[in-house]
Amino acid sequence: MKRQCTFYTGFSTSHGCQINPMFFIGAGLGMERCGKLDNWVAPIFIQGRIDLKFGKFTPFGDFRLGANVAEGAGIYISPTIGYRFNWGRKMGVNLGAGLTLAGYRSDHYEGTMTAPDSYEIQYVSTKRHIRPYFSFRIGIDF
């Protein structure tokens, strides 16, 4: 059986303050969709980023923590590491990869046979789950 790749596409925006050349803190929101699973992730998050500089080599680390307000609300955690390409004095293009954990809720039901020809389905509970997926981000900062 051939396994198909599951991926999300979307966008996010983050706004905040570059505290000094090394630290950024802000908040943001986004919207991501997986066509194969037909579901959404809608994060609202706070973000911290550390920009390192070793000569012309400029890696960064990014951490987003918040809530996935889609699918019954759940936690949203997304750490990323990457590289910043300078695009002039005050602009840059960031390429990063990481792991995203998006929480969601789902209703669970049980079925019982009530007669030889009947089947009854009853609500049992709502359960919380976490869906992990890899992230690849492209961003512009200015």
Side-chain angles (χ1 to χ4, degrees):
M1 181 174 166
K2 187 175 179 180
R3 186 178 169 120
Q4 294 181 355
C5 181
T6 301
F7 62 93
Y8 288 77
T9 57
F11 73 93
S12 67
T13 183
S14 180
H15 305 274
C17 178
Q18 188 76 37
I19 297 171
N20 61 36
M22 193 173 190
F23 296 105
F24 169 86
I25 190 160
L29 55 96
M31 185 63 73
E32 302 172 10
R33 182 176 187 280
C34 176
K36 181 180 175 194
L37 298 176
D38 193 31
N39 64 14
W40 292 86
V41 174
I44 296 174
F45 56 87
I46 57 171
Q47 176 186 11
R49 187 181 73 230
I50 184 168
D51 298 314
L52 304 173
K53 193 161 189 156
F54 304 105
K56 291 189 177 211
F57 181 64
T58 53
F60 70 88
D62 176 86
F63 188 79
R64 297 175 180 194
L65 176 65
N68 172 22
V69 296
E71 295 186 296
I75 194 159
Y76 177 82
I77 300 172
S78 187
T80 304
I81 57 171
Y83 187 79
R84 181 179 191 269
F85 295 92
N86 289 325
W87 230 10
R89 230 169 61 175
K90 298 251 180 188
M91 287 187 74
V93 174
N94 299 310
L95 297 178
L99 177 69
T100 297
L101 302 172
Y104 65 97
R105 293 181 191 176
S106 65
D107 293 334
H108 289 268
Y109 298 87
E110 285 184 0
T112 55
M113 293 291 283
T114 56
D117 298 1
S118 300
Y119 197 75
E120 185 177 294
I121 297 174
Q122 293 180 333
Y123 169 79
V124 176
S125 66
T126 299
K127 293 188 179 179
R128 294 179 183 265
H129 306 277
I130 293 181
R131 182 179 297 118
Y133 56 95
F134 290 103
S135 304
F136 179 73
R137 292 197 175 101
I138 301 171
I140 297 174
D141 64 54
F142 49 91

